[in-house]
Amino acid sequence: MEITVENEELSLKKRRQFSLSENMVESQQQLLPTNLAVFSGRRTSPLCAFASSILFIYVCGIGFYLWSSNFACRLRNFGDPAPVSLSSLAFDIEQRDRYVIIKNYIKPAIHADEKNTMTFATAAIFTDLSHMPEICGKWQGPMSVSVYAPGSDFKTALRKIFNLRLANSCIHQNVSWHLYFDTEFSPSWRKIKSPEEEAELTTTTSGSYDVWIKGTFKSHGHLPFPPTLAEMLRSKKSKTKYVLVSDLHYYPSINIIPRFLELLKFKGPTGE
Ligand SMILES: *[C@@H]1O[C@H](CO)[C@@H](O)[C@H](O)[C@H]1NC(C)=O
């Protein structure tokens, strides 16, 4: 009897122990997932989800804004039924790194015969443009000029270009103009208007035009002339097979295009 009682007691103890240890295991097993749940449920989710959703909305918003403004710009350029002057026909806006380029912003009045000529390509700031009449007169062919015009230089450059076009028939007929600037000094490029409107030729009030009258915006802001971009722009935008990439400080020789094309045909005294 005693033995059995003792046995029973023992077995009870064992059971208790067993059940205790079972309980412990259970509690440990329960502890782990609840801990995990706390981690994933309370710590990461609200913060991370909130931040990522904000970021997502932000990125989407920017993307949509860029897309829609670009679209609107193109729509306005292509879909305008009213007769527009040559210069304000479709132009392309492109962003490269921190620069924005408006390609073919002002177009030449005549189309060059692309096979029998070559293009003079250059990049400059508007103060260099005073060399243009002389260079165009010597070149007598299509020219592609990219003007670096950040901030208020944009309007000044456009006015200068319009003056040159008015005064010089060679420039009017043969030069296509591209303008580029830093995104942070851009003349609200997301809604760029026609060059005439941007230059405010139609209105008499000139607003900020006189602000940098002594020097350029570029020089006041100590902005470097972007060399690699200038290099790229110089060589890219022409339709002709041959391009002379140059500076506005070098004048081409008179009648150089036909002479150069003659040279290409020349095969040497043996005719090879
Ligand atoms: C414009 O370029 C053409 C060749 O494309 C040339 O024949 C013409 O003389 C140029 N215009 C002027 C006014 O020099």
Side-chain angles (χ1 to χ4, degrees):
M1 278 293 283
E2 272 182 22
I3 296 168
T4 51
V5 167
E6 262 196 332
N7 263 353
E8 267 189 38
E9 266 184 8
L10 249 175
S11 64
L12 255 174
K13 267 186 188 172
K14 269 185 187 168
R15 254 188 238 157
R16 265 184 207 155
Q17 272 183 351
F18 189 63
S19 61
L20 239 176
S21 65
E22 249 188 355
N23 265 347
M24 268 175 68
V25 167
E26 260 179 38
S27 65
Q28 267 178 354
Q29 273 178 340
Q30 274 176 355
L31 262 182
L32 218 65
T34 42
N35 253 353
L36 271 183
V38 165
F39 252 128
S40 62
R42 285 190 197 154
R43 246 209 206 152
T44 40
S45 151
L47 249 179
C48 194
F50 182 70
S52 57
S53 63
I54 287 286
L55 190 76
F56 182 72
I57 291 168
Y58 185 69
V59 166
C60 278
I62 287 183
F64 179 73
Y65 180 63
L66 285 180
W67 173 79
S68 64
S69 56
N70 194 18
F71 188 65
C73 186
R74 272 157 206 268
L75 259 189
R76 183 158 34 78
N77 292 334
F78 287 110
D80 196 352
V84 283
S85 72
L86 251 185
S87 56
S88 60
L89 288 175
F91 49 85
D92 263 334
I93 299 178
E94 187 185 315
Q95 187 171 8
R96 257 173 204 273
D97 299 336
R98 40 187 284 255
Y99 298 104
V100 177
I101 310 153
I102 317 176
K103 295 187 228 166
N104 291 315
Y105 198 30
I106 303 175
K107 291 177 193 228
I110 60 167
H111 285 286
D113 174 13
E114 282 159 29
K115 277 177 195 145
N116 295 317
T117 189
M118 56 193 277
T119 305
F120 183 100
T122 190
I125 59 171
F126 74 84
T127 47
D128 295 333
L129 296 183
S130 45
H131 301 280
M132 283 294 293
E134 177 113 30
I135 294 179
C136 193
K138 287 180 187 250
W139 184 252
Q140 296 272 306
M143 294 178 73
S144 168
V145 183
S146 307
V147 183
Y148 177 55
S152 58
D153 283 0
F154 188 67
K155 205 203 290 178
T156 319
L158 280 175
R159 288 178 171 219
K160 183 125 188 172
I161 292 168
F162 278 118
N163 283 339
L164 283 169
R165 278 170 60 97
L166 274 178
N168 187 293
S169 64
C170 181
I171 292 178
H172 183 248
Q173 287 180 358
N174 288 323
V175 183
S176 58
W177 300 90
H178 325 285
L179 271 79
Y180 65 108
F181 38 80
D182 312 60
T183 38
E184 65 260 50
F185 305 118
S186 83
S188 60
W189 64 277
R190 290 199 176 87
K191 45 181 191 321
I192 294 258
K193 292 175 263 186
S194 71
E196 288 90 345
E197 280 173 282
E198 289 290 342
E200 289 177 20
L201 290 179
T202 44
T203 58
T204 43
T205 50
S206 60
S208 60
Y209 172 57
D210 294 328
V211 171
W212 304 108
I213 205 73
K214 291 187 187 121
T216 63
F217 182 91
K218 174 189 169 293
S219 66
H220 279 270
H222 299 288
L223 297 173
F225 186 64
T228 47
L229 191 78
E231 210 51 56
M232 188 209 75
L233 284 174
R234 275 177 188 154
S235 47
K236 219 185 145 196
K237 286 261 152 23
S238 62
K239 294 184 192 119
T240 56
K241 192 171 172 189
Y242 299 103
V243 178
L244 178 77
V245 175
S246 178
D247 223 274
L248 278 185
H249 301 282
Y250 302 105
Y251 289 12
S253 309
I254 292 171
N255 219 14
I256 186 70
I257 300 177
R259 277 157 62 199
F260 177 74
L261 296 176
E262 256 331 287
L263 184 73
L264 289 177
K265 283 183 204 147
F266 181 66
K267 302 251 167 91
T270 52
E272 283 171 8

